[in-house]
Amino acid sequence: MPPGLTGPIDDFIRHLASEKRHSPRTCDSYQRDLTRLAAWLWHDQCGEWRKVSSHDLRRYVATLSREGLGGRSIARHLSSSRRFYQFLLRERLATDNPALDIRAPKSGRRLPKVADVDQLSHLLDASPDDPLEVRDLCMFELMYSSGLRLSELAGLNLDSVDPKGGEIRVLGKGSKERILPVGSKALAALKAWLPLRTALAPEPEQALFVSRRGDRLSRRSIQARLSRWGVAKGADQKMHPHMLRHSFASHMLESSGDLRAVQELLGHADIATTQVYTHLDFQHLARVYDQSHPRARRHQYDGNDRNEKNSAE
């Protein structure tokens, strides 16, 4: 591809990293999206960003849709383009923002998959067979106990957890720190893991969860270990880290009904993000309604009720 397409992308990514202080992961996401767009433009014989029109971007959106991308993924691509063109306008490398008025196609909102309480209890009550499984159990208890993201769990250090206070300090999205409560089961699992960690990790290592080699456990390794744990302990569905976070949110909301509190625990900036967990089924709501409202309990006829009704008629 020509420098007229790739050069501004590189400048934009440096801008995000140095001036906006975005994480490497966020910068990589922008780089992938914009490089994909640049490749499409070059194939379409367009070699400069200032020549791109709204019509071009609409055709690009149609291409992404034909390639199987969903509405949410296409919306992210458009968001990357809008942000990029804001930078180009500032640098006087473009005269308008062709992505401003383009909307992604709508796609059905996918509800997060959750595990029921009984299944999670079965998995988390299983006994570990070796020191690494003691570590794994501690990780999974913490994720379910406090609703941690995978990146938050992987980033925990020894000083992130206060066992006496029953609290954990995590660094969430946008480098926002929050303090979360830790349940007794997770604290017990932590107490079992820490002595074993000492035997694996060298003195300078601060990571709470380390590999067999003694270095910080990667996100990919945590995913693999949870999947392995689910298979070994008899889960009836594939286990992944976000399922534990989703299950935490769903179970908390079912029990408390306090959407705002669940939002704070999850670290969501917008309560609309948390509202996806309000997908309680009608049977559950009806059962709570019947049990809670003294004048709303619906009368359910059994055979005798029907006989009495018929005789009365």
Side-chain angles (χ1 to χ4, degrees):
M1 286 186 291
L5 289 175
T6 58
I9 294 178
D10 294 337
D11 293 340
F12 175 60
I13 299 303
R14 282 192 290 269
H15 161 74
L16 292 181
S18 60
E19 295 184 35
K20 297 299 183 180
R21 299 189 179 278
H22 286 319
S23 69
R25 192 176 182 186
T26 299
C27 292
D28 288 345
S29 178
Y30 276 105
Q31 182 104 42
R32 283 193 304 272
D33 291 348
L34 295 172
T35 300
R36 185 171 183 173
L37 172 57
W40 182 86
L41 291 170
W42 179 235
H43 184 266
D44 204 45
Q45 299 183 344
C46 177
E48 294 183 48
W49 291 105
R50 66 172 67 247
K51 294 182 179 179
V52 178
S53 67
S54 295
H55 177 67
D56 294 326
L57 288 184
R58 286 191 177 92
R59 289 193 299 113
Y60 178 60
V61 166
T63 299
L64 294 177
S65 182
R66 285 194 300 271
E67 291 175 355
L69 265 69
R72 184 174 296 180
S73 296
I74 293 175
R76 193 199 70 231
H77 277 269
L78 286 171
S79 176
S80 297
S81 299
R82 280 191 287 271
R83 183 83 179 272
F84 177 51
Y85 267 95
Q86 289 173 1
F87 170 78
L88 294 180
L89 286 168
R90 194 192 80 168
E91 298 298 311
R92 299 185 179 180
L93 297 174
T95 56
D96 67 339
N97 190 333
L100 273 182
D101 298 323
I102 301 176
R103 297 290 177 264
K106 291 184 178 180
S107 59
R109 191 175 192 182
R110 291 184 301 174
L111 293 176
K113 291 183 179 180
V114 301
D116 62 48
V117 176
D118 290 340
Q119 183 185 19
L120 279 181
S121 295
H122 170 74
L123 288 176
L124 297 177
D125 287 343
S127 299
D129 296 325
D130 57 52
L132 293 184
E133 284 200 353
V134 173
R135 175 204 63 193
D136 295 345
L137 179 59
C138 182
M139 292 192 300
F140 308 150
E141 284 281 10
L142 272 176
M143 291 193 83
Y144 180 53
S145 168
S146 304
L148 302 184
R149 296 180 177 96
L150 175 59
S151 59
E152 292 169 350
L153 181 79
L156 290 177
N157 291 325
L158 284 170
D159 60 0
S160 300
V161 184
D162 176 11
K164 291 184 179 179
E167 295 176 344
I168 188 170
R169 186 179 71 256
V170 301
L171 199 63
K173 287 187 175 180
S175 297
K176 293 180 180 178
E177 187 178 88
R178 67 189 193 279
I179 307 295
L180 300 171
V182 179
S184 59
K185 294 281 190 180
L187 289 174
L190 184 67
K191 185 177 180 181
W193 159 241
L194 286 177
L196 299 176
R197 179 203 173 277
T198 303
L200 290 174
E203 186 73 27
E205 180 58 65
Q206 293 301 304
L208 178 60
F209 296 111
V210 296
S211 69
R212 191 190 305 271
R213 298 182 303 274
D215 56 350
R216 185 181 296 274
L217 201 63
S218 69
R219 290 193 293 261
R220 182 167 294 183
S221 294
I222 295 171
Q223 289 175 313
R225 294 296 294 191
L226 177 55
S227 178
R228 176 184 179 276
W229 181 276
V231 172
K233 308 305 178 185
D236 58 10
Q237 56 186 317
K238 184 176 181 180
M239 301 301 296
H240 55 84
H242 241 58
M243 182 181 287
L244 293 179
R245 177 171 160 88
H246 292 327
S247 300
F248 161 84
S250 183
H251 298 164
M252 284 290 297
L253 197 55
E254 285 180 16
S255 299
S256 69
D258 192 333
L259 190 65
R260 185 68 66 180
V262 175
Q263 177 196 3
E264 292 293 325
L265 289 168
L266 292 173
H268 286 162
D270 187 351
I271 199 168
T273 309
T274 318
Q275 286 174 334
V276 71
Y277 295 107
T278 59
H279 65 289
L280 305 181
D281 60 54
F282 178 77
Q283 289 183 344
H284 173 77
L285 290 175
R287 187 165 60 250
V288 172
Y289 180 76
D290 284 345
Q291 293 172 353
S292 304
H293 198 298
R295 295 181 66 82
R297 291 174 185 139
R298 295 166 299 161
H299 189 66
Q300 296 180 353
Y301 293 106
D302 58 18
N304 293 331
D305 292 329
R306 283 193 295 271
N307 291 336
E308 290 175 5
K309 183 180 179 182
N310 292 334
S311 63
E313 292 174 347

